Structure formats: structure tokens, C-alpha cells
Amino acid sequence: MTRPQSPPENHDPKIVRQRRGTVNRPVVRPIPNAPGADYLTIAARPSDDVRFWWLGQAGFALEHNGRRVLIDPYLSDSLATKYAGTIFPHTRLHPVPVDPERIQGVKAVLHSHAHTDHLDPDTVRALRTLNRPLFLAPRARTQLALDRNIPPELLLPVTSGSSVELASDINVIVVPAAHEDLETDSNGDSIFLGYIIDIAGVRIYHSGDCVPYEGQAELLRENRVDVALLPINGRDGHRLQNGVPGNFTVREALELCAAANIPAVVGHHFGLFDFNTISRDEATQEFTRLSGDVQWTLPSLGQAYQITPGTTATFPYNEGRKTA
């Protein structure tokens, strides 16, 4: 295992501001009066827009031109059963935002790693009710993915460096993730993954569960990421000692975006389990204090958002709405 390098904690907040210039940047905005996540239960309408819905935890639904791609959906309560009576009982703080058995039009499902809130057997089974998507999962965890209800003919095992064309206008680049550590199996395949999804020229980076690691910013800068979806629930020794490795802090997420020239960040992985979260108010305060020119969004559960590419913005549009 390789221990990633973390930025020093005493960085001047202005470091974020001084690394940014005026650039053409995407703008992430909530879609007024848009239907909630239940919209995913009807056929996607053809549109040139790139839209997304936050499904809670690290889960997202992306939509473009009548196609949907899901990332790390956890749409069940299986962990409450699995960990009942333990130190961390995994009791949901909000309900499942959409019935996975009713979701339609899913082209692919991307799983960043094998923890159940990212690769959930109950969600996988339910999604197959109305879909036959391609499931991407770490090659280092192929057997576990099969054990989690992914049929062999629908499973595409991937590792860092893989690239996949899902459609003529949707391509995926697989990169490593450090869920506190960069880990590989005996074959050198990454156990934790991130994904760069290019949708009609808009590049969205979902880091998976991750902390900063050496070379990460350079890798993302080379791939010209437009929007980063980053987990911001932080980490500490108590959680790690009890089997719960952590993620970026808000500061680290913003510093990564500044170093990698990523104009916009969407924070996630909060508000589901009381032992593994940051409060929305605390995250809002941190983003407000440190963001500089990086546009930030704390998404509302099930709210539809639109990514408008190539917009020049003098002031970043920041979205900190409360979870619905």
C-alpha cells in the first residue's frame, strides 16, 4: 500500500484564489421546477444538455441525449441489516430518493470500489428489472462483483488506465483512487478507482472514495477535467480503526481543483450516516471561506442540475441549498 501525500493543514486559503485566472468554465446550476429523482423512472428525453441528479452518498445519475449513466448508486437499506448492532449501525438519515426497480434507460453503471455503499447487491439486482446496463467495476474485485448480482455477460472489469466507449459521445477513462491508501492486488490492478466521464465534450471526474495522492492533480490537469464530484466527509483515526477509511476534507477538495485547474466542484458523501458525514452548514462555511474562484455546489437530494459548458463567469455561481 502507498500512503498518499496530503497537503499541509496550514495552507493559506488564498492559495486557491491565486491559482485561478479568468477562463471559460462550465457552470453547474439547479434546474428550476425540474422533476426530482422520480424523473429517472420514465424514459429520458433526447436533449443536448448534460444533467445530473445526486442520489445520496457517492451516487449520481448522469443524463445526456436520452442516455443515463449511474455512478456508485446505493439505493437500498442493505447496510442497516448488515451492520445492525455494531458500533456503526449504518442507519439511513434520509430515505432512498428513487425506487431502483423503476429506473429506466440506464446505459451503464460505474462502481468505484467494492464497499457496499458503492457496489450494493440489492441495488444491482433492482436496476436489472428494467435495464441491461454495462456494469464497470474494479478488475481487482471481479469475483466480488459477480457475487453482488452482476451477470458475467454484463460485467466489464476495469483498472487504472482502462478506457471505455459507452456511446459515440460518452467515453470513460479509469484512474486510480486512494481510499486513504493507493492499493493494488497481486496483479497490480487498482482496488479503488475513479472515473473521468466525457459526455459530449464535458469532462466530469468522479474520484470514488479518495484522499489526495501524489500525481493526482497532474493527472487530472492533463485530462482537462471540467467538473469534479468529490467526497468531502473527511477522515479520522476513530473511523479508520473501526474499518471506515475516509475521504477529502473541503479544503483538500478545493486545493485539488485549484492545482488541477478544475473550475467547478460538487461535494458529496455526506448526510447519509451519522458516523461518517460532515454537516451541510459546516461544509457550506468551509466552501464559502476557501473557494476563491472555484465554483462549488452542495447538491440537494434528488434535485436536477445542468452543466452548461464553456461559460465565462466573472463570479463563481455557488449552490448550497439544503437537502430536500
Side-chain angles (χ1 to χ4, degrees):
M1 297 189 298
T2 302
R3 174 67 62 178
Q5 294 183 349
S6 296
E9 287 298 318
N10 61 351
H11 272 195
D12 186 335
K14 292 181 181 178
I15 192 170
V16 175
R17 296 177 174 86
Q18 67 191 21
R19 288 181 179 175
R20 305 291 312 171
T22 300
V23 295
N24 270 358
R25 63 183 63 191
V27 171
V28 178
R29 294 184 184 274
I31 303 173
N33 303 315
D38 276 344
Y39 168 75
L40 302 173
T41 66
I42 64 174
R45 300 163 189 158
S47 171
D48 290 335
D49 294 339
V50 178
R51 299 182 177 186
F52 71 85
W53 290 256
W54 181 45
L55 303 177
Q57 200 70 336
F60 287 86
L62 311 179
E63 181 180 285
H64 171 70
N65 200 22
R67 304 183 186 93
R68 291 172 178 148
V69 175
L70 305 187
I71 311 171
D72 281 354
Y74 174 61
L75 299 173
S76 80
D77 210 14
S78 64
L79 283 170
T81 301
K82 181 178 180 179
Y83 289 107
T86 68
I87 187 173
F88 295 144
H90 288 70
T91 302
R92 273 185 170 272
L93 299 179
H94 63 70
V96 174
V98 59
D99 182 353
E101 289 189 350
R102 298 173 56 218
I103 293 177
Q104 300 185 37
V106 179
K107 179 75 173 179
V109 184
L110 281 51
H111 299 284
S112 64
H113 62 286
H115 291 165
T116 305
D117 55 335
H118 300 258
L119 176 50
D120 174 38
D122 290 0
T123 300
V124 169
R125 183 190 303 110
L127 287 172
R128 289 170 47 212
T129 303
L130 298 177
N131 306 276
R132 281 185 59 81
L134 184 66
F135 291 89
L136 277 63
R139 188 161 67 196
R141 293 292 183 261
T142 297
Q143 186 55 55
L144 193 149
L146 294 170
D147 293 343
R148 298 270 177 95
N149 297 320
I150 300 178
E153 68 273 16
L154 298 181
L155 175 63
L156 180 60
V158 294
T159 192
S160 175
S162 299
S163 59
V164 181
E165 182 179 288
L166 298 178
S168 60
D169 55 355
I170 304 178
N171 294 278
V172 176
I173 298 170
V174 186
V175 297
H179 202 359
E180 297 222 21
D181 293 296
L182 288 169
E183 296 187 39
T184 58
D185 68 2
S186 59
N187 295 318
D189 290 326
S190 296
I191 291 173
F192 303 108
L193 302 177
Y195 295 101
I196 300 172
I197 306 103
D198 187 320
I199 303 180
V202 175
R203 290 201 162 191
I204 302 167
Y205 169 55
H206 189 293
S207 67
D209 279 1
C210 197
V211 303
Y213 61 85
E214 187 174 359
Q216 183 182 31
E218 292 79 7
L219 175 63
L220 299 178
R221 189 164 58 242
E222 290 170 2
N223 280 284
R224 302 178 64 84
V225 170
D226 296 303
V227 178
L229 312 178
L230 301 181
I232 55 164
N233 58 307
R235 58 195 181 277
D236 57 54
H238 174 63
R239 281 179 284 182
L240 183 61
Q241 289 167 11
N242 286 280
V244 182
N247 291 310
F248 294 99
T249 64
V250 170
R251 176 188 290 274
E252 289 169 338
L254 287 168
E255 288 182 330
L256 175 63
C257 290
N261 292 332
I262 301 173
V265 60
V266 177
H268 63 84
H269 212 294
F270 66 93
L272 183 60
F273 302 128
D274 61 2
F275 65 88
N276 197 25
T277 190
I278 181 175
S279 75
R280 178 177 288 271
D281 287 346
E282 181 182 351
T284 297
Q285 292 170 8
E286 285 290 280
F287 274 120
T288 302
R289 184 170 66 90
L290 299 172
S291 60
D293 290 333
V294 177
Q295 181 204 159
W296 58 271
T297 300
L298 286 177
S300 296
L301 188 69
Q303 167 72 47
Y305 292 83
Q306 180 174 326
I307 302 173
T308 304
T311 301
T312 301
T314 304
F315 300 100
Y317 178 88
N318 293 324
E319 167 66 16
R321 294 158 56 97
K322 292 184 178 180
T323 301

